[in-house]
Amino acid sequence: KAGVTQTPRYLIKTRGQQVTLSCSPISGHRSVSWYQQTPGQGLQFLFEYFSETQRNKGNFPGRFSGRQFSNSRSEMNVSTLELGDSALYLCASSPGGTSFPQRIVYEQYFGPGTRLTVT
Amino acid sequence: AQSVTQLGSHVSVSEGALVLLRCNYSSSVPPYLFWYVQYPNQGLQLLLKYTSAATLVKGINGFEAEFKKSETSFHLTKPSAHMRDAAEYFCAVRNSGGSNYKLTFGKGTLLTVNP
């Protein structure tokens, strides 16, 4: 199976612009989560989508948004970029949901990330 | 609310020596705990996970971790370090309830292995 893919891998934008990052999960996975990684704040949860619905959300301003398509691919968008948005953005995919009758703890598989630099 | 504290932002060991990376968690509900490794310019790779089954968890690359509820700890160990183990390691916690997939990470520990 192919792993999680993220495009583009590197991106340079100017302050005030907007950007869209893409994530293709592992085939069959329905949950996609996004994380921001910076040297100062570490890894922080942005949001999670499952079956095209946002299921969980972190503490980020409304400039950060996302969506998920019917094929489980996900995009995240950052509008009005600020210098502090420079970070590695990681996407993680998981089968999602809950298994019955025995509950399986699904793990999350991370992509290589998109390195965003805001100048 | 849940949180993770990793003691020591940088750990340095000699090749062949014991690796011990410390992680303490705080969670209001029974947690799921994970250790991830990140190599330069790469994403995160899962080493192992604790999901309330066995308290001693074995993972990939010879790593293992022990869940100690009384100490709220989940320290990562490896008996003998290899040069290829040099990377950054992250401990993470997730609520065991429902379909919450939010991971809360520690700040990470950079492991250096000296020849």
Side-chain angles (χ1 to χ4, degrees):
Chain A
K1 263 186 182 178
V4 179
T5 58
Q6 292 187 245
T7 57
R9 290 294 312 278
Y10 301 91
L11 204 49
I12 300 175
K13 288 287 187 178
T14 303
R15 193 170 43 183
Q17 288 185 315
Q18 75 166 19
V19 67
T20 299
L21 311 181
S22 180
C23 171
S24 292
I26 293 170
S27 177
H29 286 192
R30 295 161 63 194
S31 167
V32 174
S33 299
W34 288 90
Y35 293 83
Q36 182 195 63
Q37 185 177 23
T38 60
Q41 299 299 316
L43 282 151
Q44 294 186 286
F45 173 79
L46 281 155
F47 30 64
E48 184 232 350
Y49 286 86
F50 178 76
S51 293
E52 302 180 66
T53 300
Q54 187 181 86
R55 193 162 61 172
N56 294 288
K57 189 177 186 305
N59 296 322
F60 277 80
R63 300 186 297 107
F64 292 82
S65 63
R67 59 177 175 168
Q68 186 180 34
F69 302 95
S70 58
N71 62 358
S72 294
R73 189 177 71 85
S74 177
E75 289 181 347
M76 69 162 281
N77 184 277
V78 188
S79 62
T80 319
L81 284 166
E82 301 177 359
L83 295 179
D85 297 333
S86 294
L88 180 67
Y89 289 89
L90 293 164
C91 162
S93 87
S94 175
T98 306
S99 64
F100 294 99
Q102 179 181 2
R103 190 168 74 182
I104 299 173
V105 179
Y106 294 119
E107 55 204 53
Q108 288 156 283
Y109 298 85
F110 283 80
T114 293
R115 173 76 62 185
L116 172 65
T117 302
V118 182
T119 62
Chain B
Q2 51 196 9
S3 65
V4 172
T5 302
Q6 290 184 239
L7 297 174
S9 60
H10 188 193
V11 170
S12 182
V13 301
S14 298
E15 194 172 17
L18 171 72
V19 175
L20 171 60
L21 304 182
R22 300 177 186 274
C23 171
N24 288 88
Y25 71 91
S26 171
S27 179
S28 56
V29 298
Y32 293 145
L33 294 160
F34 305 82
W35 274 100
Y36 284 88
V37 62
Q38 185 176 36
Y39 298 99
N41 298 316
Q42 294 188 26
L44 302 175
Q45 181 184 12
L46 180 68
L47 283 174
L48 48 78
K49 64 181 180 183
Y50 166 77
T51 59
S52 75
T55 56
L56 182 62
V57 181
K58 293 188 183 300
I60 63 171
N61 302 338
F63 285 94
E64 63 181 39
E66 185 173 9
F67 174 73
K68 292 187 177 180
K69 185 178 178 180
S70 60
E71 299 177 8
T72 61
S73 69
F74 190 57
H75 302 331
L76 181 71
T77 61
K78 181 173 181 178
S80 176
H82 291 272
M83 297 295 290
R84 62 177 177 263
D85 296 327
E88 191 156 22
Y89 292 79
F90 294 92
C91 181
V93 64
R94 192 176 104 196
N95 282 346
S96 58
S99 57
N100 189 332
Y101 279 79
K102 173 187 174 183
L103 285 168
T104 300
F105 287 90
K107 292 292 188 184
T109 298
L110 182 63
L111 175 66
T112 302
V113 182
N114 303 307

